[in-house]
Amino acid sequence: LFLSGFLAALAAICSFAPYLSIYYIVREILFVYPDMSLLNVSAISTWGWLALAGILGNIVFYFFALLCSHVAAFGTLYELKVAFADHIMQIPLGYHLTLGSGKMRKIMDENIESVEGFIAHQFPDFVASITAPIVMVIILLAVDWRFGLASLVGIILAFVAEFIGFGSGEMKEN
């Protein structure tokens, strides 16, 4: 599961390479704009290859993150089902008669299976959704600290507005 989170974070980092490459390509073009004969084609080609590598890295790292998270999820489901079966064997027979076999089957099939969705799919996405804003702010500050600072202020204001909206009684109830 930790390997899945690490790979998902790497995939999120790689997803920014195309955007960063486009920025530097546009910058190269704008520096020589009137006279395109001065354009550094090798630099543009390098940034293009970096963009492609970022896309491929995102795909590969995310694939392996999902692979690892699925292995962890199915291992966890196996362990939970075995533990539940062991627990059922320890319960007195009278409890089974009062509860019914349908409820036991529901616990075994549906409730334990619901863990799979979180571990296999939501966990890697959660790690990526935490990593991406951090990487974005770092890139913005590295490219132009003034623009990064202005964006950071905007992000903070957006979070404040969101928390104010969630602070109402109706939203808490929902």
Side-chain angles (χ1 to χ4, degrees), residues 16 130-156 159:
F16 284 98
I130 295 296
T131 305
I134 295 168
V135 172
M136 181 185 66
V137 168
I138 291 170
I139 289 173
L140 287 173
L141 290 171
V143 168
D144 185 359
W145 67 270
R146 296 167 299 222
F147 183 65
L149 208 57
S151 298
L152 194 57
V153 168
I155 291 169
I156 291 170
F159 275 117

Side-chain angles (χ1 to χ4, degrees), residues 12-26:
I13 292 169
C14 286
S15 71
F16 284 98
Y19 301 109
L20 199 57
S21 296
I22 290 170
Y23 166 76
Y24 282 109
I25 289 171
V26 169

